[in-house]
Amino acid sequence: MIQKWRSGKEGETFRRSVFFKLLLSFMAILMIPFVIGALLYGRMEQALIENAYDSNQTLLQQTRLAVDSRMNEVDQLAAQIAFDPMLQLFLYEENNRASINDYTYIELIRNLKRYRTLSPFIDDYYVYFKQSDRIVTTTIRTDTDTFYRYINEYQNRSLDEIKSLLNSYHLRTYLPAEPIQYDQKQRSMITTISSLPMGDNTEVRGSLVVTIDETQLLGQLRKSDHRETDYYIFGADGQVISTTSDRSGALEDLRSSMGHGYGNLAATIGGTDMLISYTTSSQNNWTYVSVIPKTIILSKVNETKSLALLLLLLCMAGGFAVSYYLAYKNHRPIRELIHTILQGKNMSGVAIRNEFAFIRNELLSSIVEEKQMRGVLSQQKPVIQADFISRLMKGFVDTSSLKESDYSFMNVSLPHPYYGVVLLQIDDCRRFVQEESEREWTLVRFILINLSNELLAGNGYAIELDRDRVGILLNSTESIAEKGNELDRLLQSIKSQMEGKFRTSVTIAVSNMKSGIHGIAVAYGEAVTAMEHKSMQEQGSIIYYDAIRGMERHYFYYSLEMEAQLMNYAKSGDYGNVEKVLDQLFEINFQSRSISPEMAKYLSSELMSTVIKLLSALNIDDETFFGGEGASFKYLAKIGTAEEMNAALKRLYHAICAKVTGDRSDHSDLLASRIRCYIESHYDSNELSLTTIADHVGLNPSYLSTFYKKQMGHNVTEYITSLRMKEAKTLLAETELTVAAIAIKVGFANDIGLIRLFKKTEGITPGKYREIAGGSGPDNEAVL
């Protein structure tokens, strides 16, 4: 009965483990169409925005053409009036005083009235004569003060400001729309001023002023679009000539972002996302701008989005039910198979936590002997050595912290000053092996590694990197790797023996030699780069990095290994190695490869992606490191030269490494303080030990002892002893307690330990110390 109950419970346990995996698998498949739908929605939204931009541009172009046509009428009117013979007579009044009288003024007024057009844009026009300080309109002649105080009164400009404008030179100057009191009505007018004689900027004798009804101009804008769109017209000087919006200054900050011609941009105005389109007139350099809320464009999309979300929830519920049914149905054969195995092998009492692992183990029981043989061949030491050398080459080891004991533990000796990396690619081994199985590939790599180690004779290590690739870490007295030297002869020997004895073709890629162990990772990158040129060489060639470096012209180099080096060095706070990797990266791409500006942009994006991933891994807010830029990828995009990009990256990595190092320092100080406080609170207990302290702070006792010694300058035992001796001397001098009682009170198991330590540190016994200190308590010391 008990066995049956246990078997049932175990069956339930393993059933859930696989059942949930199947359920999650079906749910993952179910999510595929939803993900695709989300992507299509995003594309649809972008298409609507682009269509809105196209529509806005079309409306703006139509409006620009209509307004340009009307403004051309203004220019024609100004030209006709400016060259009127009667007007010329009054402009040079000092030379024609005999010919000027009231009749000639009437003639001038008649001439001006003759030029009036039927254009609804032009509200009025008049001429100002500087010498006589008079205004002549199509109906009257008056002085300037009377005209601007009682007839044509500007609400926002003083008389002095108006006179200053009239007396200075203008060529089709447009003043922004402003209210003017005219014919007992107040209307918003755009004023254009042209100096007379027209085109003569040496002497201004008068001005032609034309006023344009802003409502007519805004009507052209409003009738083109029935949406909630705001329109702006900017003059050539950047001022708002006219607008349909109450917030005339809303676009002033964005005006500098609008180039010449036409374009589109998105911005947030007053907390609302806006779509902005603009176009510039070549006739008068006016810029026409439309601003429409993004929500209006996407209103239908948002409605569809809400409906789609509701349908998504319904589909998810239905999909979960279907997935649950399918998972249960597909799990049944596995459950029956497990029960069959348990019954067949009488294993009903065996606890099973994972069905797949259980089935795999049972199926692999027939090849246990092969596994044992493979374990014998794969000795622990060679595995550790090969793993260490592999990580060293790929930059996953903090070389600055390595000690001789570390090399000894890894069974690695690197006595020479220069380092390099050689990659051996197995191109063709079909003449040596019968079938390309994993076992035979292992044999080929084993032969290549042993042959390389034999010929290296202690000047390096050969390790397995991939199924068809072997790597050699060189350690040599030679500083140059080139054809004809000893290294080249050694590599030729490896290649010829593999081809001659084992009928296997091998391509070899060789890096430059580097000074110092920190250059190994750089050398590995060079070897990988050289191997990338394998397709451009003959099969079985020896490719030197120095020989192919000048061939790389178009594509940037930034391998996954180099990215991993940067991230690992930065995570450990090793800015020195980070700087070396960055210098090597920029030397390869901008000095050796001479990549194009387009490739430099792509490289910049890749490098910034690495920084973002690093900040995410370290849980650091990226705003701290971009100077308030807001968009991190703009940080490098605004930098002009490769040297500036390199310097900017170094500043970022220096700040990150400093942050990592500072956090570690703060943590160490806090941990040392915790240990010290715990000792000071428990030194009087005879159960206090290195183990109890380590358990309290959650550290290994050996590591705690080393850490405390390094942090505080003395070890834990010394500090405990000093506290106990200090308290014992106080009690001896100030109390009448026996030495045995004092020993127990300060943390010793008995008085023997106190007496021995007291004599060792103070040179006298506790009783003698009490006599010297003037105490009179009993003395029960033992003689040691």
Side-chain angles (χ1 to χ4, degrees), residues 643-679:
E643 290 78 8
E644 293 173 351
M645 187 191 303
N646 195 8
L649 281 169
K650 286 181 179 179
R651 289 193 297 272
L652 282 175
Y653 277 104
H654 186 273
I656 294 171
C657 290
K659 172 72 174 172
V660 170
T661 304
D663 288 346
R664 287 179 179 173
S665 177
D666 294 342
H667 177 72
S668 297
D669 292 342
L670 180 60
L671 181 58
S673 178
R674 283 186 62 200
I675 295 171
R676 193 177 183 92
C677 290
Y678 185 78
I679 293 173

mmCIF file of all heavy atoms in Angstrom, residues 643-679:
data_model
loop_
_atom_site.group_PDB
_atom_site.id
_atom_site.type_symbol
_atom_site.label_atom_id
_atom_site.label_comp_id
_atom_site.label_asym_id
_atom_site.label_seq_id
_atom_site.Cartn_x
_atom_site.Cartn_y
_atom_site.Cartn_z
ATOM 1 N N GLU A 643 39.630 59.880 -33.749
ATOM 2 C CA GLU A 643 40.330 60.159 -32.494
ATOM 3 C C GLU A 643 39.357 60.653 -31.422
ATOM 4 O O GLU A 643 39.454 60.258 -30.255
ATOM 5 C CB GLU A 643 41.426 61.205 -32.727
ATOM 6 C CG GLU A 643 42.609 60.703 -33.538
ATOM 7 C CD GLU A 643 42.318 60.648 -35.028
ATOM 8 O OE1 GLU A 643 41.239 61.146 -35.441
ATOM 9 O OE2 GLU A 643 43.135 60.085 -35.764
ATOM 10 N N GLU A 644 38.408 61.498 -31.833
ATOM 11 C CA GLU A 644 37.410 61.968 -30.861
ATOM 12 C C GLU A 644 36.523 60.827 -30.384
ATOM 13 O O GLU A 644 36.161 60.757 -29.210
ATOM 14 C CB GLU A 644 36.558 63.066 -31.498
ATOM 15 C CG GLU A 644 37.338 64.356 -31.783
ATOM 16 C CD GLU A 644 36.504 65.342 -32.568
ATOM 17 O OE1 GLU A 644 35.415 64.968 -33.030
ATOM 18 O OE2 GLU A 644 36.945 66.500 -32.723
ATOM 19 N N MET A 645 36.160 59.922 -31.296
ATOM 20 C CA MET A 645 35.349 58.766 -30.903
ATOM 21 C C MET A 645 36.107 57.900 -29.898
ATOM 22 O O MET A 645 35.552 57.453 -28.896
ATOM 23 C CB MET A 645 34.994 57.939 -32.136
ATOM 24 C CG MET A 645 34.001 56.808 -31.858
ATOM 25 S SD MET A 645 33.851 55.656 -33.241
ATOM 26 C CE MET A 645 33.378 56.760 -34.542
ATOM 27 N N ASN A 646 37.391 57.663 -30.184
ATOM 28 C CA ASN A 646 38.210 56.850 -29.271
ATOM 29 C C ASN A 646 38.305 57.518 -27.902
ATOM 30 O O ASN A 646 38.166 56.870 -26.861
ATOM 31 C CB ASN A 646 39.601 56.659 -29.868
ATOM 32 C CG ASN A 646 40.379 55.557 -29.176
ATOM 33 O OD1 ASN A 646 39.843 54.831 -28.335
ATOM 34 N ND2 ASN A 646 41.640 55.420 -29.498
ATOM 35 N N ALA A 647 38.538 58.836 -27.898
ATOM 36 C CA ALA A 647 38.651 59.555 -26.627
ATOM 37 C C ALA A 647 37.331 59.521 -25.854
ATOM 38 O O ALA A 647 37.310 59.357 -24.633
ATOM 39 C CB ALA A 647 39.073 61.006 -26.885
ATOM 40 N N ALA A 648 36.201 59.668 -26.575
ATOM 41 C CA ALA A 648 34.897 59.632 -25.904
ATOM 42 C C ALA A 648 34.628 58.266 -25.284
ATOM 43 O O ALA A 648 34.121 58.165 -24.162
ATOM 44 C CB ALA A 648 33.792 59.982 -26.907
ATOM 45 N N LEU A 649 34.974 57.207 -26.009
ATOM 46 C CA LEU A 649 34.788 55.861 -25.460
ATOM 47 C C LEU A 649 35.675 55.643 -24.241
ATOM 48 O O LEU A 649 35.263 55.031 -23.256
ATOM 49 C CB LEU A 649 35.107 54.813 -26.528
ATOM 50 C CG LEU A 649 34.005 54.575 -27.574
ATOM 51 C CD1 LEU A 649 34.526 53.727 -28.708
ATOM 52 C CD2 LEU A 649 32.796 53.921 -26.943
ATOM 53 N N LYS A 650 36.900 56.156 -24.306
ATOM 54 C CA LYS A 650 37.796 55.994 -23.152
ATOM 55 C C LYS A 650 37.239 56.716 -21.929
ATOM 56 O O LYS A 650 37.343 56.217 -20.800
ATOM 57 C CB LYS A 650 39.185 56.527 -23.499
ATOM 58 C CG LYS A 650 39.969 55.615 -24.438
ATOM 59 C CD LYS A 650 41.352 56.176 -24.733
ATOM 60 C CE LYS A 650 42.136 55.251 -25.641
ATOM 61 N NZ LYS A 650 43.480 55.786 -25.952
ATOM 62 N N ARG A 651 36.633 57.906 -22.151
ATOM 63 C CA ARG A 651 36.039 58.615 -21.019
ATOM 64 C C ARG A 651 34.900 57.804 -20.405
ATOM 65 O O ARG A 651 34.761 57.716 -19.183
ATOM 66 C CB ARG A 651 35.531 59.995 -21.458
ATOM 67 C CG ARG A 651 36.641 60.985 -21.773
ATOM 68 C CD ARG A 651 36.080 62.404 -21.876
ATOM 69 N NE ARG A 651 35.141 62.553 -22.959
ATOM 70 C CZ ARG A 651 35.475 62.869 -24.192
ATOM 71 N NH1 ARG A 651 36.745 63.067 -24.506
ATOM 72 N NH2 ARG A 651 34.552 63.000 -25.141
ATOM 73 N N LEU A 652 34.066 57.219 -21.262
ATOM 74 C CA LEU A 652 32.955 56.404 -20.762
ATOM 75 C C LEU A 652 33.457 55.208 -19.968
ATOM 76 O O LEU A 652 33.012 54.948 -18.847
ATOM 77 C CB LEU A 652 32.112 55.910 -21.940
ATOM 78 C CG LEU A 652 31.133 56.914 -22.557
ATOM 79 C CD1 LEU A 652 30.466 56.303 -23.773
ATOM 80 C CD2 LEU A 652 30.086 57.349 -21.557
ATOM 81 N N TYR A 653 34.420 54.465 -20.550
ATOM 82 C CA TYR A 653 34.917 53.269 -19.869
ATOM 83 C C TYR A 653 35.689 53.633 -18.605
ATOM 84 O O TYR A 653 35.655 52.886 -17.623
ATOM 85 C CB TYR A 653 35.799 52.458 -20.812
ATOM 86 C CG TYR A 653 35.015 51.546 -21.722
ATOM 87 C CD1 TYR A 653 34.807 51.861 -23.064
ATOM 88 C CD2 TYR A 653 34.449 50.375 -21.241
ATOM 89 C CE1 TYR A 653 34.084 51.033 -23.899
ATOM 90 C CE2 TYR A 653 33.724 49.541 -22.072
ATOM 91 C CZ TYR A 653 33.544 49.869 -23.390
ATOM 92 O OH TYR A 653 32.826 49.043 -24.197
ATOM 93 N N HIS A 654 36.380 54.773 -18.632
ATOM 94 C CA HIS A 654 37.094 55.197 -17.411
ATOM 95 C C HIS A 654 36.099 55.463 -16.281
ATOM 96 O O HIS A 654 36.320 55.076 -15.124
ATOM 97 C CB HIS A 654 37.922 56.449 -17.708
ATOM 98 C CG HIS A 654 38.803 56.863 -16.563
ATOM 99 N ND1 HIS A 654 38.366 57.685 -15.545
ATOM 100 C CD2 HIS A 654 40.080 56.540 -16.260
ATOM 101 C CE1 HIS A 654 39.331 57.864 -14.674
ATOM 102 N NE2 HIS A 654 40.394 57.179 -15.084
ATOM 103 N N ALA A 655 34.973 56.116 -16.615
ATOM 104 C CA ALA A 655 33.951 56.387 -15.595
ATOM 105 C C ALA A 655 33.320 55.089 -15.087
ATOM 106 O O ALA A 655 33.063 54.933 -13.896
ATOM 107 C CB ALA A 655 32.876 57.307 -16.185
ATOM 108 N N ILE A 656 33.088 54.146 -16.020
ATOM 109 C CA ILE A 656 32.497 52.864 -15.604
ATOM 110 C C ILE A 656 33.438 52.099 -14.696
ATOM 111 O O ILE A 656 33.044 51.574 -13.656
ATOM 112 C CB ILE A 656 32.128 52.023 -16.847
ATOM 113 C CG1 ILE A 656 30.998 52.707 -17.624
ATOM 114 C CG2 ILE A 656 31.706 50.613 -16.442
ATOM 115 C CD1 ILE A 656 30.709 52.076 -18.958
ATOM 116 N N CYS A 657 34.739 52.027 -15.094
ATOM 117 C CA CYS A 657 35.726 51.312 -14.269
ATOM 118 C C CYS A 657 35.869 51.969 -12.898
ATOM 119 O O CYS A 657 36.005 51.291 -11.881
ATOM 120 C CB CYS A 657 37.074 51.265 -14.989
ATOM 121 S SG CYS A 657 37.083 50.189 -16.440
ATOM 122 N N ALA A 658 35.843 53.315 -12.876
ATOM 123 C CA ALA A 658 35.931 54.013 -11.589
ATOM 124 C C ALA A 658 34.721 53.702 -10.722
ATOM 125 O O ALA A 658 34.839 53.531 -9.503
ATOM 126 C CB ALA A 658 36.047 55.524 -11.826
ATOM 127 N N LYS A 659 33.550 53.620 -11.353
ATOM 128 C CA LYS A 659 32.331 53.280 -10.618
ATOM 129 C C LYS A 659 32.436 51.873 -10.026
ATOM 130 O O LYS A 659 32.098 51.647 -8.863
ATOM 131 C CB LYS A 659 31.138 53.363 -11.569
ATOM 132 C CG LYS A 659 29.812 52.856 -11.007
ATOM 133 C CD LYS A 659 29.240 53.785 -9.979
ATOM 134 C CE LYS A 659 27.854 53.331 -9.544
ATOM 135 N NZ LYS A 659 27.334 54.099 -8.422
ATOM 136 N N VAL A 660 32.918 50.916 -10.849
ATOM 137 C CA VAL A 660 33.047 49.532 -10.380
ATOM 138 C C VAL A 660 34.040 49.455 -9.225
ATOM 139 O O VAL A 660 33.791 48.838 -8.193
ATOM 140 C CB VAL A 660 33.496 48.621 -11.543
ATOM 141 C CG1 VAL A 660 33.867 47.235 -11.021
ATOM 142 C CG2 VAL A 660 32.387 48.505 -12.579
ATOM 143 N N THR A 661 35.206 50.128 -9.389
ATOM 144 C CA THR A 661 36.234 50.103 -8.342
ATOM 145 C C THR A 661 35.743 50.767 -7.061
ATOM 146 O O THR A 661 35.966 50.282 -5.952
ATOM 147 C CB THR A 661 37.503 50.816 -8.842
ATOM 148 O OG1 THR A 661 37.912 50.196 -10.057
ATOM 149 C CG2 THR A 661 38.618 50.688 -7.815
ATOM 150 N N GLY A 662 35.008 51.904 -7.207
ATOM 151 C CA GLY A 662 34.494 52.600 -6.029
ATOM 152 C C GLY A 662 33.471 51.770 -5.271
ATOM 153 O O GLY A 662 33.478 51.722 -4.047
ATOM 154 N N ASP A 663 32.590 51.096 -6.016
ATOM 155 C CA ASP A 663 31.597 50.247 -5.357
ATOM 156 C C ASP A 663 32.269 49.124 -4.577
ATOM 157 O O ASP A 663 31.860 48.777 -3.475
ATOM 158 C CB ASP A 663 30.642 49.657 -6.402
ATOM 159 C CG ASP A 663 29.711 50.714 -6.959
ATOM 160 O OD1 ASP A 663 29.630 51.798 -6.346
ATOM 161 O OD2 ASP A 663 29.069 50.460 -7.984
ATOM 162 N N ARG A 664 33.338 48.555 -5.178
ATOM 163 C CA ARG A 664 34.035 47.484 -4.469
ATOM 164 C C ARG A 664 34.689 47.998 -3.197
ATOM 165 O O ARG A 664 34.664 47.356 -2.152
ATOM 166 C CB ARG A 664 35.111 46.879 -5.378
ATOM 167 C CG ARG A 664 34.531 46.022 -6.498
ATOM 168 C CD ARG A 664 35.637 45.494 -7.361
ATOM 169 N NE ARG A 664 35.107 44.643 -8.420
ATOM 170 C CZ ARG A 664 35.857 44.168 -9.401
ATOM 171 N NH1 ARG A 664 37.142 44.441 -9.446
ATOM 172 N NH2 ARG A 664 35.317 43.398 -10.343
ATOM 173 N N SER A 665 35.273 49.226 -3.286
ATOM 174 C CA SER A 665 35.941 49.795 -2.113
ATOM 175 C C SER A 665 34.947 50.053 -0.991
ATOM 176 O O SER A 665 35.193 49.741 0.174
ATOM 177 C CB SER A 665 36.660 51.089 -2.514
ATOM 178 O OG SER A 665 37.242 51.690 -1.405
ATOM 179 N N ASP A 666 33.786 50.622 -1.337
ATOM 180 C CA ASP A 666 32.765 50.893 -0.322
ATOM 181 C C ASP A 666 32.289 49.596 0.324
ATOM 182 O O ASP A 666 32.077 49.525 1.534
ATOM 183 C CB ASP A 666 31.574 51.614 -0.974
ATOM 184 C CG ASP A 666 31.961 53.001 -1.466
ATOM 185 O OD1 ASP A 666 33.013 53.503 -1.000
ATOM 186 O OD2 ASP A 666 31.246 53.555 -2.295
ATOM 187 N N HIS A 667 32.106 48.561 -0.481
ATOM 188 C CA HIS A 667 31.655 47.285 0.059
ATOM 189 C C HIS A 667 32.691 46.695 1.001
ATOM 190 O O HIS A 667 32.347 46.157 2.056
ATOM 191 C CB HIS A 667 31.380 46.324 -1.100
ATOM 192 C CG HIS A 667 30.978 44.945 -0.641
ATOM 193 N ND1 HIS A 667 29.746 44.678 -0.079
ATOM 194 C CD2 HIS A 667 31.671 43.777 -0.646
ATOM 195 C CE1 HIS A 667 29.690 43.394 0.240
ATOM 196 N NE2 HIS A 667 30.845 42.830 -0.100
ATOM 197 N N SER A 668 33.984 46.814 0.658
ATOM 198 C CA SER A 668 35.039 46.265 1.502
ATOM 199 C C SER A 668 35.094 46.977 2.848
ATOM 200 O O SER A 668 35.230 46.343 3.898
ATOM 201 C CB SER A 668 36.386 46.385 0.778
ATOM 202 O OG SER A 668 36.387 45.621 -0.404
ATOM 203 N N ASP A 669 34.979 48.318 2.829
ATOM 204 C CA ASP A 669 34.996 49.070 4.093
ATOM 205 C C ASP A 669 33.818 48.671 4.980
ATOM 206 O O ASP A 669 33.973 48.510 6.203
ATOM 207 C CB ASP A 669 34.937 50.578 3.792
ATOM 208 C CG ASP A 669 36.214 51.061 3.117
ATOM 209 O OD1 ASP A 669 37.233 50.335 3.194
ATOM 210 O OD2 ASP A 669 36.188 52.137 2.512
ATOM 211 N N LEU A 670 32.639 48.532 4.379
ATOM 212 C CA LEU A 670 31.457 48.170 5.156
ATOM 213 C C LEU A 670 31.604 46.770 5.755
ATOM 214 O O LEU A 670 31.269 46.542 6.921
ATOM 215 C CB LEU A 670 30.224 48.227 4.249
ATOM 216 C CG LEU A 670 28.880 47.874 4.922
ATOM 217 C CD1 LEU A 670 28.600 48.849 6.064
ATOM 218 C CD2 LEU A 670 27.759 47.924 3.891
ATOM 219 N N LEU A 671 32.154 45.829 4.957
ATOM 220 C CA LEU A 671 32.323 44.459 5.442
ATOM 221 C C LEU A 671 33.330 44.406 6.582
ATOM 222 O O LEU A 671 33.115 43.734 7.600
ATOM 223 C CB LEU A 671 32.778 43.555 4.292
ATOM 224 C CG LEU A 671 32.979 42.081 4.625
ATOM 225 C CD1 LEU A 671 31.696 41.480 5.181
ATOM 226 C CD2 LEU A 671 33.444 41.315 3.390
ATOM 227 N N ALA A 672 34.458 45.143 6.445
ATOM 228 C CA ALA A 672 35.458 45.162 7.519
ATOM 229 C C ALA A 672 34.868 45.753 8.799
ATOM 230 O O ALA A 672 35.157 45.292 9.918
ATOM 231 C CB ALA A 672 36.681 45.955 7.067
ATOM 232 N N SER A 673 34.020 46.791 8.640
ATOM 233 C CA SER A 673 33.392 47.398 9.810
ATOM 234 C C SER A 673 32.452 46.418 10.507
ATOM 235 O O SER A 673 32.405 46.349 11.739
ATOM 236 C CB SER A 673 32.637 48.660 9.378
ATOM 237 O OG SER A 673 31.981 49.249 10.472
ATOM 238 N N ARG A 674 31.720 45.624 9.729
ATOM 239 C CA ARG A 674 30.819 44.624 10.319
ATOM 240 C C ARG A 674 31.600 43.586 11.123
ATOM 241 O O ARG A 674 31.196 43.198 12.213
ATOM 242 C CB ARG A 674 30.033 43.923 9.203
ATOM 243 C CG ARG A 674 28.888 44.731 8.611
ATOM 244 C CD ARG A 674 28.111 43.883 7.621
ATOM 245 N NE ARG A 674 27.526 42.725 8.276
ATOM 246 C CZ ARG A 674 27.123 41.634 7.632
ATOM 247 N NH1 ARG A 674 27.267 41.545 6.323
ATOM 248 N NH2 ARG A 674 26.601 40.628 8.297
ATOM 249 N N ILE A 675 32.720 43.133 10.544
ATOM 250 C CA ILE A 675 33.541 42.126 11.248
ATOM 251 C C ILE A 675 34.070 42.699 12.551
ATOM 252 O O ILE A 675 34.026 42.056 13.614
ATOM 253 C CB ILE A 675 34.697 41.669 10.339
ATOM 254 C CG1 ILE A 675 34.153 40.945 9.102
ATOM 255 C CG2 ILE A 675 35.660 40.754 11.101
ATOM 256 C CD1 ILE A 675 35.188 40.652 8.051
ATOM 257 N N ARG A 676 34.553 43.935 12.505
ATOM 258 C CA ARG A 676 35.136 44.559 13.698
ATOM 259 C C ARG A 676 34.078 44.745 14.788
ATOM 260 O O ARG A 676 34.331 44.478 15.970
ATOM 261 C CB ARG A 676 35.754 45.909 13.305
ATOM 262 C CG ARG A 676 36.659 46.514 14.365
ATOM 263 C CD ARG A 676 37.263 47.806 13.853
ATOM 264 N NE ARG A 676 38.200 48.372 14.811
ATOM 265 C CZ ARG A 676 39.487 48.127 14.821
ATOM 266 N NH1 ARG A 676 40.002 47.299 13.921
ATOM 267 N NH2 ARG A 676 40.282 48.674 15.716
ATOM 268 N N CYS A 677 32.887 45.176 14.410
ATOM 269 C CA CYS A 677 31.813 45.381 15.394
ATOM 270 C C CYS A 677 31.406 44.056 16.049
ATOM 271 O O CYS A 677 31.138 44.001 17.255
ATOM 272 C CB CYS A 677 30.605 46.035 14.721
ATOM 273 S SG CYS A 677 30.883 47.753 14.257
ATOM 274 N N TYR A 678 31.352 43.003 15.237
ATOM 275 C CA TYR A 678 30.968 41.703 15.786
ATOM 276 C C TYR A 678 32.011 41.223 16.800
ATOM 277 O O TYR A 678 31.664 40.687 17.861
ATOM 278 C CB TYR A 678 30.835 40.686 14.655
ATOM 279 C CG TYR A 678 30.323 39.328 15.135
ATOM 280 C CD1 TYR A 678 28.972 39.124 15.411
ATOM 281 C CD2 TYR A 678 31.207 38.269 15.333
ATOM 282 C CE1 TYR A 678 28.505 37.899 15.853
ATOM 283 C CE2 TYR A 678 30.755 37.041 15.784
ATOM 284 C CZ TYR A 678 29.398 36.853 16.043
ATOM 285 O OH TYR A 678 28.944 35.640 16.488
ATOM 286 N N ILE A 679 33.292 41.422 16.506
ATOM 287 C CA ILE A 679 34.358 41.014 17.442
ATOM 288 C C ILE A 679 34.250 41.812 18.735
ATOM 289 O O ILE A 679 34.361 41.270 19.845
ATOM 290 C CB ILE A 679 35.738 41.203 16.781
ATOM 291 C CG1 ILE A 679 35.907 40.222 15.619
ATOM 292 C CG2 ILE A 679 36.859 40.982 17.802
ATOM 293 C CD1 ILE A 679 37.156 40.454 14.803
#
